[in-house]
Amino acid sequence: MIRYRLGAGAASVRWAMSPIHEVVSLAQLLTEPQRHPIFHPWLRRRRRLSLPDLGALTVFMADGAYRPDFLDPSPMSSEPTFEEGMDALLAAPADQTYAELVDATKGRGAELGRRLLDDPDRARSEAADALHRLWKAVVEPEWPSMRQALRAEMLDRAIQVNREGLRAVLPRLHPSAACEGDSVTVEKTVDIDVDCPEGLILVPSLFITDRMQCTTSDHWTPTIYYPASGRYLWAAPPTPRSLDRLLGVTRSRILAALTTPLQTTVVARLVNVTPPTASEHLAILRDAGLIDSSRAGRTATHELTTAGRALMAAASPRP
């Protein structure tokens, strides 16, 4: 079990997102897609692109192997950029890089150990280059919608903690997490105590689904990555039949998808229509007061209004 000792309790916990973590987690996902069926429709769309060579990165992602923490630096602010994450990765101290590469190569053969440990800086630089290529090819075009989904997640969780307390909210993030006294605990096969003099960071991730990922490195602020709830970016949620009859199948699917704020192009992909057709349906829903739209340059992002959320709640079957 990992025990993060907070001291001041919930006041020591902050929420953040991490674009570089999303890229690292996507690389992991690409090595084991069978474990994550929720992403299969999205992965099929992405495979139409020419994915870059990721060997220098996925070499650290063998089943059961330790993945170096330097690949995934803790976010310095609530919304760091990908470039800030890359700067932190490349600035990782040499002793940290070497020690983590030693752990990453244990039990994996002398040849791999020599290749990575003879020149740790090169191994780190090549992994960073692969991360950058994956970001540019796949994640950066999707990032505006991903960022909106992560913002919504962070706001919802912060409100829940304020209302109910950290002890009540932690198990909702993942069943392996709990609050014991002044510590946050995560069930793992290792047994580690981690002091958190600068607090603990909780980071929602769209590309992990079945586990929590924990950093315990002395070089980063202690961080726990957990599965975010905004995965309608990848597969549209089911809609109540009563809503289909009221609004029509396409508009009801759009309304259900906007539980997470989304861009027009993402909405179009989820409901299998063209972007112009999605824009027409979105305009009708907006005129009805069920969604709001905001624009940054040429990009429009849409989300439910209070009326839209009330309609979804009323149409959903009672448990």
Side-chain angles (χ1 to χ4, degrees):
M1 179 176 291
I2 301 176
R3 289 169 291 274
Y4 292 96
R5 293 188 258 198
L6 300 180
S12 299
V13 174
R14 65 181 176 90
W15 304 81
M17 65 178 71
S18 174
I20 196 169
H21 174 80
E22 298 301 336
V23 185
V24 172
S25 295
L26 173 58
Q28 181 82 57
L29 168 65
L30 291 171
T31 69
E32 48 180 15
Q34 70 284 354
R35 290 186 56 182
H36 308 282
I38 192 171
F39 296 111
H40 287 176
W42 185 83
L43 287 173
R44 283 193 292 270
R45 293 197 300 269
R46 294 292 94 190
R47 284 186 182 127
R48 297 170 190 167
L49 300 176
S50 177
L51 288 176
D53 179 11
L54 302 176
L57 178 60
T58 56
V59 68
F60 300 112
M61 297 175 181
D63 189 31
Y66 164 71
R67 193 172 79 193
D69 282 346
F70 69 74
L71 290 175
D72 201 355
S74 299
M76 301 295 290
S77 63
S78 61
E79 291 193 28
T81 64
F82 174 77
E83 290 73 18
E84 288 170 337
M86 287 289 288
D87 288 344
L89 186 163
L90 293 170
D95 60 338
Q96 176 193 0
T97 301
Y98 183 81
E100 292 179 359
L101 286 175
V102 169
D103 288 342
T105 56
K106 283 180 180 176
R108 301 186 60 198
E111 182 180 348
L112 178 64
R114 282 193 299 271
R115 177 157 61 89
L116 296 178
L117 295 174
D118 283 354
D119 194 342
D121 287 343
R122 184 184 66 186
R124 179 181 59 183
S125 178
E126 290 177 349
D129 287 344
L131 272 174
H132 188 264
R133 291 193 297 271
L134 186 58
W135 164 260
K136 297 300 287 187
V138 180
V139 179
E140 187 179 41
E142 304 268 0
W143 183 245
S145 287
M146 293 173 67
R147 182 176 58 228
Q148 288 284 0
L150 292 169
R151 281 175 177 165
E153 167 75 18
M154 290 160 56
L155 178 60
D156 285 348
R157 298 301 188 183
I159 290 173
Q160 291 173 23
V161 170
N162 187 54
R163 289 175 177 169
E164 306 171 56
L166 187 63
R167 184 182 300 273
V169 173
L170 273 173
R172 297 178 200 160
L173 306 185
H174 193 269
S176 65
C179 206
E180 296 181 4
D182 63 353
S183 297
V184 168
T185 64
V186 181
E187 292 180 12
K188 293 287 185 181
T189 56
V190 297
D191 191 54
I192 303 174
D193 290 305
V194 182
D195 290 323
C196 304
E198 299 178 2
L200 173 67
I201 309 174
L202 296 176
V203 180
S205 174
L206 293 163
F207 282 120
I208 58 175
T209 61
D210 58 353
R211 71 193 88 173
M212 279 188 151
Q213 296 173 353
C214 303
T215 63
T216 58
S217 170
D218 294 337
H219 299 281
W220 309 128
T221 301
T223 304
I224 298 173
Y225 300 90
Y226 70 91
S229 57
R231 289 190 200 87
Y232 295 160
L233 287 164
W234 322 122
T239 57
R241 290 189 177 181
S242 59
L243 205 58
D244 289 348
R245 292 195 295 270
L246 177 66
L247 299 175
V249 173
T250 300
R251 283 195 285 275
S252 67
R253 292 181 67 197
I254 290 174
L255 204 67
L258 291 179
T259 302
T260 294
L262 299 173
Q263 290 179 270
T264 306
T265 53
V266 178
V267 170
R269 285 200 298 269
L270 286 176
V271 300
N272 294 315
V273 299
T274 65
T277 299
S279 293
E280 292 177 11
H281 287 296
L282 288 161
I284 292 170
L285 293 170
R286 185 167 53 249
D287 290 345
L290 298 176
I291 69 168
D292 275 334
S293 302
S294 58
R295 184 172 291 277
R298 300 176 62 184
T299 301
T301 301
H302 316 278
E303 59 185 311
L304 295 180
T305 61
T306 301
R309 292 183 183 278
L311 179 59
M312 287 298 302
S316 297
R318 299 293 188 270

